[in-house]
Amino acid sequence: MIKVDNLFKSFGNKQVLSDVSFEVAPGEVLGFLGPNGAGKSTTMRIITGFLEPSAGSVEVCGFDVATQALQAKETIGYLPESAALYEEMKVGDFLKFIAEIRGLTGASQSQALERVCEQCHLDRVWHQPIETLSKGFRQRTGLAQALIHDPQVLVLDEPTDGLDPNQKFEIRELITKMGRSKAIVFSTHVLEEVEAVCSRAIVISAGVIVANGTPKEFKSRTPSGRMDDFFRSVTLADTANPLSAPSAQSNSETHA
């Protein structure tokens, strides 16, 4: 459902992504991990058509994101790292506006609004201006706009950022439930979320994929059996020198 082939991206002289390839199938929840600046958000923006790659291609639900952008975007729900919200609008009005942009009208629109209100627990703030919301409710509103058209593919950049522990649990449960039928990619710095939610995970370091496998496989590669120790072991070079990518040898050795 998502197919990323040999993706490269440069900004001027800075190489951000180098030969990134992976696939995500329906019914799969892929955790996208890496240190700050590793290339996670850049990859997600390319998948969703907000950035063009320097080389390589992306297909979503069989549509080429570069040449069939509208068809591809119709299948995607996207929550960026900093979701754009019209702060002067009330939550319900904003989501109705998004529903209209997505082509939902009449009973279909009403049902979609009711669904995301319940899924994201927005009933308390439905008639409240977005500018008055806490960070947690802003994040829930951003997630609701990604879900409004019931997309086949979800790309979520830090979806639990700013949420309290109870809210994080609710969002994890929602992702798990949706992941039974949708293809989901989400980035997070919370490794326990990967263990709780993801069927598979990718670790990217300095723009290169350095690990691709299940959380269980990752933990089995360290004496401690801990996800955080595995993460450090494959990203330490990126932390020490963010401008240098791991060698081709280390890349092949850590792939699942």
Side-chain angles (χ1 to χ4, degrees):
M1 196 165 283
I2 302 174
K3 186 177 181 181
V4 176
D5 277 333
N6 308 115
L7 214 58
F8 289 80
K9 182 61 180 178
S10 298
F11 294 103
N13 294 326
K14 183 176 175 61
Q15 187 78 33
V16 179
L17 297 177
S18 299
D19 200 18
V20 170
S21 298
F22 61 90
E23 296 185 17
V24 188
E28 188 171 24
V29 180
L30 177 71
F32 204 43
L33 313 177
N36 288 333
K40 301 185 301 297
S41 292
T42 298
T43 303
M44 291 178 147
R45 289 169 186 159
I46 292 173
I47 291 172
T48 54
F50 282 82
L51 280 178
E52 292 184 2
S54 302
S57 64
V58 177
E59 286 186 8
V60 178
C61 297
F63 298 111
D64 187 292
V65 172
T67 61
Q68 299 170 295
L70 289 179
Q71 295 96 320
K73 289 178 181 180
E74 286 176 353
T75 71
I76 299 172
Y78 178 39
L79 175 64
E81 187 176 8
S82 298
L85 303 172
Y86 292 103
E87 298 201 348
E88 71 280 2
M89 297 181 75
K90 294 179 181 178
V91 172
D93 292 337
F94 170 72
L95 292 174
K96 182 179 179 182
F97 168 67
I98 297 297
E100 290 172 351
I101 290 176
R102 288 291 187 178
L104 296 171
T105 59
S108 296
Q109 182 185 109
S110 298
Q111 291 167 6
L113 291 169
E114 184 177 345
R115 172 174 49 81
V116 296
C117 180
E118 180 180 352
Q119 285 177 320
C120 299
H121 302 280
L122 290 169
D123 51 301
R124 281 176 45 199
V125 298
W126 194 255
H127 301 290
Q128 192 170 318
I130 292 173
E131 64 187 356
T132 67
L133 299 181
S134 66
K135 185 175 182 180
F137 274 113
R138 285 171 181 255
Q139 192 72 348
R140 292 197 212 186
T141 302
L143 181 58
Q145 66 78 27
L147 300 175
I148 194 74
H149 58 304
D150 194 22
Q152 296 171 263
V153 170
L154 282 172
V155 179
L156 310 174
D157 201 350
E158 303 279 356
T160 61
D161 183 46
L163 304 185
D164 65 35
N166 290 333
Q167 293 168 340
K168 286 182 179 182
F169 177 80
E170 292 168 356
I171 297 303
R172 291 173 192 167
E173 289 287 294
L174 178 59
I175 291 173
T176 300
K177 182 178 179 180
M178 293 188 300
R180 295 169 189 159
S181 58
K182 302 180 187 298
I184 300 178
V185 179
F186 83 96
S187 67
T188 180
H189 288 295
V190 184
L191 297 180
E192 67 182 47
E193 287 187 342
V194 178
E195 296 186 68
V197 175
C198 297
S199 52
R200 184 164 60 93
I202 282 174
V203 183
I204 187 170
S205 181
V208 176
I209 292 178
V210 295
N212 184 350
T214 67
K216 184 178 180 180
E217 289 169 344
F218 288 173
K219 291 193 292 182
S220 71
R221 297 182 195 175
T222 64
S224 67
R226 291 165 53 102
M227 275 286 292
D228 55 347
D229 288 339
F230 173 78
F231 180 83
R232 280 193 293 270
S233 73
V234 296
T235 61
L236 195 58
D238 192 13
T239 304
N241 183 3
L243 296 182
S244 63
S247 66
Q249 180 181 3
S250 65
N251 186 23
S252 62
E253 288 174 350
T254 53
H255 262 64

